Amino acid sequence: MKEILKYITLLLLVATMLTGCGNLRQKKRNLPDSVPVTAVVVSNGSTEYSAYTYSGYLAESYSSLLSFQTGGKLIKVYVSEGSKVKKGDKLAEIDSTQSVNALKSAEATLAQAQDGYDRLKMVYDSGSISEVKWIEMETKLEQAKSMAQGARKNLDDCTLTAPFNGIITSRTMEVGSHVLPSNAFIKIINTDSMLVVVDVPENDISAINEGQCAKIQVLALNNRQLWGKIVNKNVDANQISHTYQVKIAVPNTDGNLMAGMVCKASIETAKDETNIIIPYQAVQLMPDGRYVWCIVDGKSVRKKVETKGFANNGVIITQGLEPGDSVIVEGRQKVYEGGRVKAKP
């Protein structure tokens, strides 16, 4: 009886194993042979135009803090914040009474010295005075000229003028204030041209150089577009954002561009170059870089790539792909490393 039970148990065990194997074979038969995907074959293409786009702001090309070279009481101020001025325009004046009197005295001394020089020259030419006396006279005349020139400059310094065309952005003193020498109280910015300031990530900065063109879009002026040129690329990175400051010079012919306006800058990086360009949807952005899925011997393989901006409705690939590689464009969400894939015809 025990032998019969052992025999029946063995038969049931074998039947169970056969059933499991059958189910496993059935599951395998239900799995697709390969994942259908859409792929493109990589080839070198001509890049008609490529650019990096960054947000930035407008700033003055240069500015100056203005002050008198001499001290005195402020008696006139001709400008206020927002005033437009031209080079040489009067901005302010200080009391020049002392300077005027000093100039009159210096000019009188000069006239006296010049008259003595002219009289003594006739005597010197006739050989009636010594060389030492003549040198003393020449020295006296030069000293008088120098004093008169200095007095004239001191009088000119009582009037503050604009060093270039621009706009007054600040004025910190009013009429009646006592101004000290070199105490700046007026700021003027140049507006003939402006600078677009953008921060460029460290991964992009190597492709950007001085002299490159950039298309500027000014949001505050109804998305007005104009062209500029890179005039400065900072070589010292911001330690927090890891970006480099780039400045782009743009003309301001109508004077409508103002400091602080927000704008976008598209910096041109390539024209008529040969590059590998793939559809942008093929590139995956991961925490450790950018990747694409390729087909190698009928299987999906993930490859890390380096990019360099956009061109011709695609992404420029600088490293990671070679002409002839097959890149998955659609269906990459279903693939996995080493899985079988089949490109749609």
Side-chain angles (χ1 to χ4, degrees):
M1 184 65 179
K2 291 182 179 180
E3 294 295 330
I4 294 173
L5 291 175
K6 288 182 179 180
Y7 180 72
I8 293 172
T9 303
L10 181 61
L11 288 176
L12 291 173
L13 181 60
V14 171
T16 302
M17 293 177 63
L18 292 175
T19 302
C21 291
N23 291 337
L24 183 59
R25 285 195 296 269
Q26 181 64 30
K27 289 181 180 179
K28 287 184 178 180
R29 283 195 297 270
N30 291 336
L31 286 174
D33 293 336
S34 58
V35 177
V37 296
T38 301
V40 295
V41 177
V42 173
S43 61
N44 286 324
S46 176
T47 306
E48 296 176 358
Y49 173 82
S50 63
Y52 296 87
T53 301
Y54 307 101
S55 295
Y57 61 91
L58 283 168
E60 67 271 15
S61 55
Y62 55 90
S63 62
S64 181
L65 291 171
L66 305 180
S67 62
F68 287 99
Q69 297 301 307
T70 185
K73 183 180 179 181
L74 191 62
I75 60 173
K76 290 183 180 179
V77 180
Y78 298 98
V79 294
S80 58
E81 293 181 1
S83 298
K84 293 184 178 181
V85 296
K86 295 182 179 180
K87 182 179 180 179
D89 285 353
K90 288 184 179 181
L91 304 180
E93 290 183 20
I94 58 175
D95 187 0
S96 60
T97 303
Q98 291 184 355
S99 297
V100 170
N101 293 335
L103 177 59
K104 289 180 178 179
S105 176
E107 287 178 339
T109 301
L110 175 60
Q112 185 180 15
Q114 185 67 53
D115 181 66
Y117 175 89
D118 293 338
R119 293 175 181 274
L120 195 61
K121 189 175 188 307
M122 292 185 292
V123 178
Y124 173 74
D125 289 340
S126 65
S128 300
I129 63 172
S130 65
E131 189 71 24
V132 174
K133 282 285 188 181
W134 175 244
I135 293 176
E136 289 178 355
M137 187 69 245
E138 285 184 323
T139 302
K140 186 177 180 179
L141 177 61
E142 291 301 320
Q143 289 175 342
K145 287 181 178 179
S146 178
M147 290 180 63
Q149 185 178 4
R152 194 173 295 110
K153 182 181 183 304
N154 288 337
L155 179 59
D156 292 339
D157 287 342
C158 292
T159 301
L160 189 63
T161 59
F164 48 78
N165 299 342
I167 295 178
I168 305 301
T169 59
S170 67
R171 193 195 76 187
T172 59
M173 288 189 179
E174 302 295 335
V175 171
S177 302
H178 185 78
V179 180
L180 297 176
S182 302
N183 184 11
F185 71 101
I186 290 179
K187 182 180 180 181
I188 179 175
I189 65 172
N190 175 266
T191 56
D192 291 340
S193 64
M194 301 291 287
L195 292 176
V196 177
V197 182
V198 296
D199 292 324
V200 177
E202 58 185 1
N203 291 338
D204 299 346
I205 195 64
S206 61
I208 295 174
N209 296 290
E210 293 182 7
Q212 287 177 321
C213 294
K215 183 169 69 174
I216 309 301
Q217 186 179 14
V218 185
L219 306 183
L221 299 179
N222 295 321
N223 293 324
R224 176 182 173 184
Q225 294 186 354
L226 58 157
W227 286 90
K229 185 172 290 187
I230 296 176
V231 294
N232 179 264
K233 181 179 78 169
N234 200 334
V235 296
D236 187 16
N238 184 303
Q239 296 300 312
I240 298 176
S241 63
H242 297 285
T243 58
Y244 294 82
Q245 193 175 85
V246 171
K247 295 180 180 179
I248 306 162
V250 292
N252 189 20
T253 53
D254 56 8
N256 288 329
L257 300 180
M258 300 175 65
M261 286 183 171
V262 177
C263 53
K264 290 184 178 179
S266 296
I267 300 176
E268 181 180 331
T269 59
K271 263 191 176 181
D272 298 329
E273 292 182 352
T274 299
N275 292 287
I276 291 177
I277 304 172
I278 64 173
Y280 67 89
Q281 60 266 36
V283 181
Q284 272 187 306
L285 181 59
M286 305 295 287
D288 58 340
R290 293 176 172 86
Y291 292 88
V292 298
W293 285 100
C294 296
I295 301 176
V296 180
D297 297 331
K299 297 181 180 180
S300 54
V301 177
R302 194 173 71 160
K303 292 186 176 182
K304 189 173 183 178
V305 296
E306 298 291 335
T307 63
K308 188 186 75 172
F310 299 90
N312 304 342
N313 296 321
V315 181
I316 301 174
I317 303 297
T318 58
Q319 291 183 22
L321 294 177
E322 298 292 338
D325 288 345
S326 183
V327 176
I328 297 175
V329 179
E330 296 179 3
R332 57 182 175 80
Q333 297 86 353
K334 301 177 183 179
V335 303
Y336 54 93
E337 188 70 29
R340 297 197 65 81
V341 293
K342 182 177 181 180
K344 296 177 182 180

